[in-house]
Amino acid sequence: MNFSASKQVVRPPQRGIFPLDHYAECKPVMKEYLSCLKDAKDKHHMCREISRQYLECRMERDLMAKEDLDKMGFSADAQVAESYEYDKSRERDGWVAGKHIDKKMKWWFQRSGGYSE
């Protein structure tokens, strides 16, 4: 069988790979976004508008395909309404996940009705 005879069609991915910003046209907005992420302790929903500005900058300069930002998660109904951080109070009090289980568990093949030969 000769595999070189058939022609292979290579298709680019729909999203994820786009030209690099070689001339740093959108770098100020990118730096502002990264700074916002750092200040917000990586809570990206706090930096939503800056993220939108960065994507708009890339689209305006043909560094990525123009697309409706509402479809990319920037619509009003996709906005994070209430967000809270878990306070870990149970862990500070000494709670450990799984410690409340007293019974020794068996492997799936050791259980009755499980694996049989």
Side-chain angles (χ1 to χ4, degrees), residues 10 19 43 65 100 102:
V10 178
K43 295 179 188 132
H100 64 285
D102 295 330

Side-chain angles (χ1 to χ4, degrees), residues 18 21 26 29 45-46 49 62 68 70 77 84 87 93 98:
F18 38 80
D21 189 5
C26 299
V29 183
H45 63 277
M46 303 290 281
E49 281 306 309
D62 292 326
D68 185 17
D70 290 344
D77 58 328
Y84 64 92
D87 64 355
D93 293 339

Side-chain angles (χ1 to χ4, degrees), residues 67-83:
E67 190 169 335
D68 185 17
L69 289 173
D70 290 344
K71 292 180 182 176
M72 295 177 75
F74 288 96
S75 62
D77 58 328
Q79 192 165 354
V80 177
E82 293 181 31
S83 174

Side-chain angles (χ1 to χ4, degrees), residues 34-88:
L34 293 175
S35 174
C36 179
L37 281 178
K38 187 177 181 181
D39 294 342
K41 297 182 182 172
D42 292 326
K43 295 179 188 132
H44 60 87
H45 63 277
M46 303 290 281
C47 308
R48 180 182 173 94
E49 281 306 309
I50 303 170
S51 175
R52 180 185 201 100
Q53 291 170 8
Y54 177 66
L55 292 173
E56 287 173 344
C57 176
R58 290 191 64 87
M59 286 183 212
E60 288 169 4
R61 289 160 178 80
D62 292 326
L63 295 172
M64 66 182 286
K66 290 179 176 33
E67 190 169 335
D68 185 17
L69 289 173
D70 290 344
K71 292 180 182 176
M72 295 177 75
F74 288 96
S75 62
D77 58 328
Q79 192 165 354
V80 177
E82 293 181 31
S83 174
Y84 64 92
E85 187 172 340
Y86 178 63
D87 64 355
K88 298 184 181 180

